[in-house]
Amino acid sequence: ALVPDLDGPPQDPPADLPGLVAAVGFTMQPRILPDRRAAAEAYLARYLDPYTRRYFGRRRLTALGLPGGIPRRLAFLPRHRAVRRAAHRLRRRLGRLGA
C-alpha cells in the first residue's frame, strides 16, 4: 500500500494504514488474530472502496461475515446445488449464442 504503482496514475496511500494492516491481518488469519475483528469491521465499513477492495476477496469477507461480502442471509446461494445448476445452464446457453 505504500509503494506507488509505477504503471498506473499516482495514488494517495490509504487514509488509515494501521486499520488496513489490522483488517488484512484479521482476514488472512482470523483464528490467530481474533482480537482484530472489531478493527477489521470498522475499517471495512468505513474505507472499503475500489482502491482498498484489491486487498480483500469477496469470498473471504463473506465467509468471515465482514462488511463488503455477500450478506449472511444470501451466503448459501453460491453453494446451493440448484443455483449452481442454473448458472451452468445459463453459461452453456450464452456460450452457444456467442459461438
Side-chain angles (χ1 to χ4, degrees):
L2 293 176
V3 178
D5 184 16
L6 299 177
D7 295 332
Q11 295 180 342
D12 294 329
D16 182 18
L17 190 59
L20 174 63
V21 171
V24 170
F26 175 75
T27 57
M28 297 307 293
Q29 298 184 349
R31 291 182 183 161
I32 296 173
L33 303 169
D35 55 322
R36 294 190 184 175
R37 181 177 182 85
E41 287 177 347
Y43 179 84
L44 291 169
R46 184 165 184 195
Y47 293 111
L48 191 63
D49 60 15
Y51 178 73
T52 56
R53 168 70 68 183
R54 64 183 171 165
Y55 300 112
F56 306 100
R58 187 175 304 272
R59 273 191 201 171
R60 176 77 51 129
L61 295 177
T62 300
L64 295 172
L66 293 172
I70 299 172
R72 191 172 292 276
R73 294 180 309 198
L74 302 175
F76 72 94
L77 286 177
R79 291 178 290 221
H80 198 274
R81 186 175 182 198
V83 174
R84 285 195 322 263
R85 187 179 306 145
H88 180 72
R89 286 180 188 156
L90 181 63
R91 275 191 230 116
R92 192 171 20 170
R93 288 184 182 159
L94 290 176
R96 288 180 193 161
L97 292 175

